[in-house]
Amino acid sequence: MDPKCLAFDPNFFFCLFPEEFLSRILSEPENINESKIIEGEYAYQTVVVPNNYMGPRLSFPLFPDDATALLEAFKQKKQLHAHYVLRLFHEARKHLSQLPNITNVSTCYYEEITICGDLHGQLVDLFLIFYKNGLPSPQKAYVFNGDFVDRGKYSMEILIILFVFLLIYPKEVHLNRGNHEDYIVNLRYGLNKEIARKYKEHSGKILKLLQNVFSCLPLATLVDQKVLIVHGGISDTTDLDRLAKIDRRQILSVLSQKRKITRSFEPSEFESAKLFRDGPPKPTDSLSKSEVTKRVQEEYETCRTRAGSSEYTESRASATSFPSGSDMTLASTESTFVDDAEIQQVLDILWSDPIPQDGCKVNEDRGGGCYFGPNVTRAFLQKYNLQFIIRSHECKPDGYDICHDRKVITVFSASNYYTMGSNRGAYVKMGRDLIPHFIQYQAGKSARRLTMTQRISRVEVSAYQVLKEKLFAHRSDLTTAFRRYDKKNTGLITLNEWANAVESVLQLGLPWRMLRPQLVPHLTSGKLEYKSWLKDIVTEQRSAVQERLQSSLLENIYRNLSSLETIFNIIDTDHSGLISLEEFHQTWKLFSDHMNINISDESISDLARSIDFNKDGNIDFNEFIEAFRLVSQSPP
């Protein structure tokens, strides 16, 4: 999830749909009985499957064969009929609504638990995860940590697959709500448009039902009461006891229910939502086209103000403009009262991000949630006797990231998120020891070949890291140089003074003012608080050094791909392309005897099983290189 996605384009209500579609999905039903059918539990009964339908079918209750057939149909680009979609969503809502806000998972019942991050409608990544890790089963539990939808082209297929497995394996498959499981966000970032394109006249029913399904998704998952899995993060006011008691089903959107008296509004509720600033709503039949447009404009401004956001045009979405008017009528719904403090609790866990500095402050980039520092994490973990937090919400170049003294793990499962080759995807596996193992991947063969621009970008990142290391090494000299310019001991210097001081110490002949945005991200009234800046450099570098020191022994041994290929081929004695557990055992016995190292058979078998991530009894090359992660140099 990119920063600033709360700052909506002013055209966001109309930019995704033609007028006739909006008129259809927002129009009031003709009579009360029809309203109950469309908005109630049995909307699927109004949709008939034609005799010539050749796509996949679902019968309830669902069985593993249904999931297998559905996966195969989606691989062949087939589409599930709206009747089955509505029935599936209906059944999923019934199940999800019975779950607690914070679900509990125990590792004692499973071989391992797999945690997946953002998928964002990228079906190829979900297929790759299942291929590498295996399908959900009574022995293999999954936690999908939100943001299943938006941006990608296959959000509906991902939802359908996840809900099918949820109903087949309700104890093994767990779904957390992400910030994109929110109909206001869906209006802007693609899900609504995808549903309109794929399901046309039935899209209104699906959208209506899906809003309620999203509101029933649990907010967090606890593994063995020791590991908290949430989509975004925490704040200094996050209260798990309070979160456990919130009626989450009333929160259709954290963006439109920001105050205690706020009514939940949906795309069909602009007239009745009591969010308008010009008094009570007028009867719907008296609204003209211009009044409708004016009301929607005002509603946008209200939402934007409450989210604390500013104008922003999302780089991955095309900007469009309002149509001149609409023939819509607007329907009303019953009020829903949600306490503002409860909304804030949910907003924080769905939208927040970690930062390296101590403290907790408003997340101005996203417009919602907060930035939380290591001290907030430590206090939270200590309060609830937890070991660490797993979250998602941010794209990472390697698919995962570790921060806050290894107490906060970010996992992001949508590879090639920005462009082909831009990032890897990853998922996390944990056994009963609760030690996280990271599995990386990249969908598509061409993704492994970076463009020249992408290669330059990565080189730039490495170069900036080298500069930060030099700044860290010369921090004492830099402090002295800065103080020469700070005659009044204000702690502030100008950018020119900063550039001159850095050059006088490092003497690298670099254009420091041009490099400033990457090295000095924050200024105070155009000046640099050099003490805070140096402290941030120290914090960042010490964290990096600590992570390198904690690299495993295997990471220090193997350093390049060609060596790994050679080792793999030596162990693969029958040249099948797979290393059997017996081949692995024999090779390590020979190695230990030759090196005069005492390694027990049990230790060798444990090592082999730990590398065999998908537990199919063989080690393929991808599993092999993931186990022996490459590093460019030994830890200092």
Side-chain angles (χ1 to χ4, degrees):
M1 173 66 209
D2 288 339
K4 301 184 180 178
C5 73
L6 280 183
F8 295 113
D9 187 290
N11 304 329
F12 78 112
F13 283 115
F14 282 136
C15 67
L16 300 182
F17 307 108
E19 290 182 48
E20 62 272 15
F21 176 72
L22 277 174
S23 178
R24 182 167 62 249
I25 70 169
L26 303 185
S27 60
E28 187 174 10
E30 293 181 0
N31 55 63
I32 295 176
N33 292 332
E34 182 183 350
S35 175
K36 289 182 178 179
I37 292 175
I38 292 177
E39 298 182 11
E41 296 185 349
Y42 304 103
Y44 63 89
Q45 294 182 354
T46 66
V47 180
V48 179
V49 181
N51 294 330
N52 61 352
Y53 172 70
M54 302 298 291
R57 297 175 183 267
L58 296 178
S59 59
F60 296 85
L62 295 168
F63 295 96
D65 287 345
D66 295 311
T68 304
L70 188 66
L71 290 174
E72 187 59 34
F74 285 163
K75 288 179 182 178
Q76 298 174 13
K77 307 298 182 182
K78 294 182 179 180
Q79 182 172 302
L80 186 65
H81 193 273
H83 170 84
Y84 300 113
V85 172
L86 289 166
R87 178 69 188 278
L88 175 65
F89 288 2
H90 161 65
E91 298 294 339
R93 180 176 63 176
K94 284 201 303 183
H95 171 74
L96 290 168
S97 63
Q98 298 173 6
L99 299 178
N101 290 350
I102 303 174
T103 57
N104 287 278
V105 182
S106 175
T107 57
C108 68
Y109 299 113
Y110 315 109
E111 294 178 358
E112 60 196 9
I113 294 176
T114 301
I115 302 98
C116 300
D118 301 38
L119 288 167
H120 278 304
Q122 298 188 186
L123 186 60
V124 64
D125 288 301
L126 182 59
F127 281 154
L128 188 53
I129 291 171
F130 286 160
Y131 172 76
K132 290 176 67 68
N133 195 57
L135 297 176
S137 70
Q139 295 77 37
K140 192 180 296 292
Y142 274 88
V143 178
F144 293 92
N145 197 25
D147 277 15
F148 320 124
V149 301
D150 284 335
R151 303 187 184 281
K153 297 180 180 180
Y154 300 98
S155 294
M156 281 297 291
E157 284 75 8
I158 286 179
L159 286 176
I160 291 167
I161 291 171
L162 295 184
F163 289 156
V164 164
F165 277 116
L166 174 71
L167 295 177
I168 296 173
Y169 301 111
K171 295 181 179 180
E172 289 79 26
V173 175
H174 307 272
L175 309 180
N176 284 347
R177 186 173 185 176
N179 64 304
H180 272 261
E181 279 68 61
D182 184 308
Y183 74 93
I184 292 292
V185 180
N186 301 150
L187 277 167
R188 182 65 179 87
Y189 291 99
L191 176 62
N192 288 33
K193 189 174 182 179
E194 178 183 330
I195 294 174
R197 184 179 71 253
K198 292 180 178 178
Y199 290 98
K200 299 179 176 61
E201 69 269 18
H202 303 302
S203 56
K205 301 182 183 69
I206 295 174
L207 285 166
K208 188 76 174 179
L209 180 55
L210 196 54
Q211 292 172 17
N212 293 307
V213 175
F214 283 167
S215 70
C216 292
L217 286 168
L219 303 174
T221 301
L222 268 176
V223 180
D224 290 347
Q225 297 293 315
K226 291 295 182 182
V227 180
L228 177 68
I229 305 173
V230 292
H231 179 72
I234 59 173
S235 72
D236 54 1
T237 61
T238 296
D239 186 335
L240 293 185
D241 297 325
R242 184 164 191 174
L243 277 169
K245 298 175 183 177
I246 292 173
D247 186 358
R248 69 181 188 276
R249 292 169 296 180
Q250 300 296 329
I251 305 176
L252 297 180
S253 171
V254 295
L255 309 184
S256 66
Q257 290 172 296
K258 196 68 193 298
R259 292 178 182 161
K260 190 171 184 178
I261 60 172
T262 300
R263 303 173 72 177
S264 64
F265 88 87
E266 307 171 24
S268 58
E269 301 174 25
F270 298 141
E271 160 55 26
S272 63
K274 283 191 177 179
L275 294 172
F276 302 121
R277 297 171 293 175
D278 57 350
K282 300 177 182 179
T284 58
D285 57 3
S286 65
L287 288 176
S288 66
K289 296 181 181 180
S290 60
E291 286 175 313
V292 169
T293 301
K294 178 183 178 183
R295 289 288 182 92
V296 175
Q297 286 275 22
E298 291 175 343
E299 174 57 34
Y300 155 71
E301 292 295 337
T302 301
C303 284
R304 187 167 67 84
T305 301
R306 288 178 179 176
S309 59
S310 58
E311 290 293 343
Y312 177 72
T313 301
E314 176 63 34
S315 60
R316 290 188 60 176
S318 59
T320 56
S321 58
F322 275 106
S324 58
S326 174
D327 293 322
M328 297 182 302
T329 57
L330 301 173
S332 62
T333 60
E334 297 180 358
S335 302
T336 298
F337 295 89
V338 183
D339 187 87
D340 179 63
E342 293 183 347
I343 292 291
Q344 191 62 48
Q345 287 282 323
V346 178
L347 188 68
D348 284 343
I349 66 169
L350 297 186
W351 285 90
S352 296
D353 296 302
I355 54 174
Q357 302 84 12
D358 282 346
C360 186
K361 59 183 180 180
V362 175
N363 194 330
E364 295 179 351
D365 287 334
R366 292 190 186 274
C370 70
Y371 292 117
F372 62 99
N375 62 324
V376 176
T377 298
R378 285 193 299 270
F380 180 83
L381 296 179
Q382 183 176 6
K383 178 180 179 180
Y384 294 103
N385 193 27
L386 300 173
Q387 292 184 10
F388 57 91
I389 297 170
I390 297 179
R391 43 92 63 178
S392 302
H393 197 43
E394 288 183 286
C395 178
K396 298 296 182 180
D398 294 322
Y400 73 94
D401 185 61
I402 304 173
C403 64
H404 292 188
D405 299 323
R406 304 185 73 84
K407 299 301 183 184
V408 173
I409 293 172
T410 298
V411 58
F412 193 87
S413 299
S415 66
N416 310 308
Y417 182 61
Y418 296 106
T419 186
M420 189 63 70
S422 62
N423 66 283
R424 305 180 79 179
Y427 53 91
V428 182
K429 296 160 69 73
M430 290 193 304
R432 296 178 184 178
D433 56 7
L434 297 182
I435 297 176
H437 300 277
F438 305 99
I439 314 301
Q440 297 170 291
Y441 54 86
Q442 197 152 25
K445 294 181 180 180
S446 59
R448 297 162 192 162
R449 300 177 181 177
L450 297 177
T451 64
M452 182 60 66
T453 301
Q454 292 162 347
R455 291 180 185 276
I456 291 173
S457 177
R458 294 200 173 190
V459 170
E460 287 178 347
V461 170
S462 299
Y464 282 119
Q465 183 59 37
V466 171
L467 284 179
K468 289 179 180 179
E469 291 173 358
K470 288 185 176 295
L471 293 168
F472 173 77
H474 293 83
R475 58 192 182 278
S476 297
D477 295 335
L478 287 170
T479 301
T480 302
F482 292 152
R483 284 175 177 168
R484 293 195 189 104
Y485 290 101
D486 185 17
K487 303 295 185 182
K488 297 182 180 180
N489 197 29
T490 62
L492 297 172
I493 57 175
T494 66
L495 288 180
N496 275 333
E497 291 168 345
W498 170 82
N500 293 333
V502 171
E503 179 58 24
S504 68
V505 173
L506 299 185
Q507 298 183 357
L508 296 177
L510 295 175
W512 293 106
R513 285 186 62 88
M514 293 179 61
L515 300 176
R516 193 276 306 171
Q518 297 294 333
L519 299 175
V520 184
H522 304 293
L523 296 174
T524 302
S525 299
K527 292 187 176 182
L528 170 66
E529 293 182 2
Y530 61 87
K531 294 179 181 179
S532 298
W533 177 71
L534 286 170
K535 184 178 179 181
D536 293 345
I537 291 288
V538 170
T539 301
E540 181 179 346
Q541 293 307 310
R542 283 180 177 172
S543 176
V545 169
Q546 185 177 17
E547 290 183 19
R548 288 200 298 269
L549 286 173
Q550 293 176 343
S551 296
S552 67
L553 175 63
L554 293 178
E555 289 181 324
N556 298 330
I557 297 174
Y558 298 99
R559 305 187 185 283
N560 56 75
L561 185 60
S562 60
S563 297
L564 282 174
E565 290 174 335
T566 301
I567 295 169
F568 183 91
N569 291 330
I570 291 173
I571 302 176
D572 180 22
T573 55
D574 62 358
H575 304 295
S576 63
L578 298 171
I579 297 175
S580 67
L581 300 185
E582 181 61 24
E583 287 175 331
F584 188 92
H585 186 274
Q586 291 176 356
T587 302
W588 273 97
K589 285 297 293 181
L590 289 172
F591 173 78
S592 60
D593 292 342
H594 177 72
M595 300 297 295
N596 196 25
I597 300 174
N598 185 20
I599 303 178
S600 67
D601 291 344
E602 182 179 357
S603 296
I604 297 174
S605 298
D606 288 343
L607 179 59
R609 284 192 292 268
S610 69
I611 298 175
D612 179 22
F613 296 119
N614 62 5
K615 308 303 179 187
D616 63 355
N618 294 293
I619 301 171
D620 62 30
F621 187 65
N622 285 332
E623 291 172 330
F624 191 76
I625 62 175
E626 291 296 343
F628 302 96
R629 192 179 308 283
L630 302 177
V631 293
S632 59
Q633 60 182 15
S634 300

